[in-house]
């Protein structure tokens, strides 16, 4: 499968190009508040460097959240426009599943925690990198302390030494899109929406 994968769900911005299921090129940088400026540039750079004929592309993959409201809006909006303009389907990828499938993770049971604001994080449980719970927004003190912790942006909340910091990566998003294409693909890209998981629904107990 040939596709372009995009992740802008945090202050990182990443673009990866896959040809025949293999990642050929990745541009990934920490660029807080510059996604709208640099994402189109990264896409153009990858297309130019890899001499990509858009006609060979099978799909566009994009992280759809949870994550930064602005980052998701930019990434998903750009992916939808690119897919629509090139008559491509789009593959939405959960940000927490992208983090969970990072090759650095070797835990069997673990939770992924992505910082939202104050003491609120987006949380999901995994076993062997497969989700065992729904993604939700919760306060940090609600997280099960007996689980291994994988996180991004939670340094000020974490006390456990075993916590592993991992940022969502476009390369992993692309790998998940290829693996799960038949189950996750959206044929009409304009119908896609981000999964913000509003933290304002959190109840303090």
């Amino acid at each position: 499968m040939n596709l372009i994968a995009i992740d802008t769900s945090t202050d990182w911005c990443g673009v990866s190009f896959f040809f025949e299921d293999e990642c050929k090129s990745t541009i990934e940088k920490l660029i807080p508040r510059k996604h709208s400026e640099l994402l189109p540039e990264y896409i153009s750079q990858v297309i130019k460097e890899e001499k990509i004929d858009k006609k060979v592309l099978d799909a566009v993959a994009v992280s759809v959240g949870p994550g930064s409201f602005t980052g998701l809006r930019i990434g998903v909006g750009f992916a939808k426009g690119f897919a629509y303009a090139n008559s491509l389907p789009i593959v939405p990828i959960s940000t927490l599943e992208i983090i969970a499938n990072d090759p650095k993770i070797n835990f069997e049971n673990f939770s992924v925690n992505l910082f939202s604001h104050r003491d609120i994080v987006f949380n999901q449980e995994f076993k062997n990198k497969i989700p065992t719970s729904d993604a939700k927004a919760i306060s940090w003190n609600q997280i099960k302390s007996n689980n291994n912790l994988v996180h991004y942006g939670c340094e000020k909340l974490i006390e456990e030494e075993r916590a592993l910091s991992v940022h969502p990566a476009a390369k992993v998003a692309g790998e998940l899109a290829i693996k799960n294409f038949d189950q996750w693909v959206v044929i009409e890209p304009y119908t896609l929406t981000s999964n913000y998981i509003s933290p304002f629904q959190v109840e303090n107990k």
Side-chain angles (χ1 to χ4, degrees), residues 7-61:
D7 175 77
T8 57
S9 58
T10 64
D11 44 8
W12 286 82
C13 181
V15 175
S16 290
F17 169 59
F18 286 75
F19 183 75
E20 296 182 351
D21 295 352
E22 182 179 348
C23 186
K24 296 295 186 180
S25 177
T26 295
I27 299 176
E28 186 175 67
K29 294 182 181 180
L30 183 65
I31 54 164
R33 296 178 294 280
K34 291 186 178 181
H35 296 75
S36 61
E37 174 186 350
L38 295 178
L39 175 60
E41 180 180 316
Y42 292 172
I43 294 284
S44 297
Q45 184 177 337
V46 167
I47 290 174
K48 182 178 179 179
E49 290 179 354
E50 294 298 320
K51 299 178 180 179
I52 300 171
D53 181 349
K54 295 177 184 177
K55 294 180 181 178
V56 307
L57 292 174
D58 299 307
V60 179

Side-chain angles (χ1 to χ4, degrees), residues 56 59 75 106 110-111 118 131 148 157 163 169 171 177-178 180 185 200 204:
V56 307
N106 56 15
F110 61 95
S111 68
R118 298 198 308 268
N148 294 301
L157 302 174
K171 181 175 183 291
I178 292 170
N180 300 282
V185 65
F200 301 108
N204 295 319

Side-chain angles (χ1 to χ4, degrees), residues 9-183:
S9 58
T10 64
D11 44 8
W12 286 82
C13 181
V15 175
S16 290
F17 169 59
F18 286 75
F19 183 75
E20 296 182 351
D21 295 352
E22 182 179 348
C23 186
K24 296 295 186 180
S25 177
T26 295
I27 299 176
E28 186 175 67
K29 294 182 181 180
L30 183 65
I31 54 164
R33 296 178 294 280
K34 291 186 178 181
H35 296 75
S36 61
E37 174 186 350
L38 295 178
L39 175 60
E41 180 180 316
Y42 292 172
I43 294 284
S44 297
Q45 184 177 337
V46 167
I47 290 174
K48 182 178 179 179
E49 290 179 354
E50 294 298 320
K51 299 178 180 179
I52 300 171
D53 181 349
K54 295 177 184 177
K55 294 180 181 178
V56 307
L57 292 174
D58 299 307
V60 179
V62 63
S63 56
V64 293
S68 160
F69 179 87
T70 301
L72 292 172
R73 179 177 55 82
I74 293 168
V76 171
F78 187 93
K80 289 168 67 175
F82 186 90
Y84 186 78
N86 293 283
S87 300
L88 297 170
I90 196 165
V91 186
I93 315 292
S94 160
T95 304
L96 299 183
E97 290 198 46
I98 295 172
I99 295 174
N101 281 270
D102 189 280
K104 294 190 293 292
I105 299 172
N106 56 15
F107 304 128
E108 179 181 3
N109 295 290
F110 61 95
S111 68
V112 171
N113 304 279
L114 177 62
F115 182 76
S116 174
H117 67 287
R118 298 198 308 268
D119 68 335
I120 304 300
V121 299
F122 301 112
N123 167 275
Q124 191 169 20
E125 304 293 327
F126 289 83
K127 181 175 182 179
N128 295 322
K129 303 190 176 183
I130 303 298
T132 58
S133 71
D134 293 331
K136 56 188 178 295
I138 63 175
S139 62
W140 184 256
N141 61 18
Q142 292 179 280
I143 295 173
K144 298 177 182 178
S145 60
N146 60 331
N147 281 2
N148 294 301
L149 296 176
V150 177
H151 78 98
Y152 182 72
C154 303
E155 287 82 3
K156 293 182 179 180
L157 302 174
I158 290 176
E159 297 179 357
E160 294 83 351
E161 293 183 0
R162 68 182 184 280
L164 175 66
S165 177
V166 175
H167 70 80
K171 181 175 183 291
V172 178
E175 292 168 346
L176 286 170
I178 292 170
K179 179 180 179 181
N180 300 282
F181 181 83
D182 291 339
Q183 292 78 29

Side-chain angles (χ1 to χ4, degrees), residues 189-204:
Y190 59 85
T191 65
L192 183 66
T193 58
S194 300
N195 182 18
Y196 294 114
I197 309 182
S198 174
F200 301 108
Q201 297 175 359
V202 175
E203 296 181 1
N204 295 319

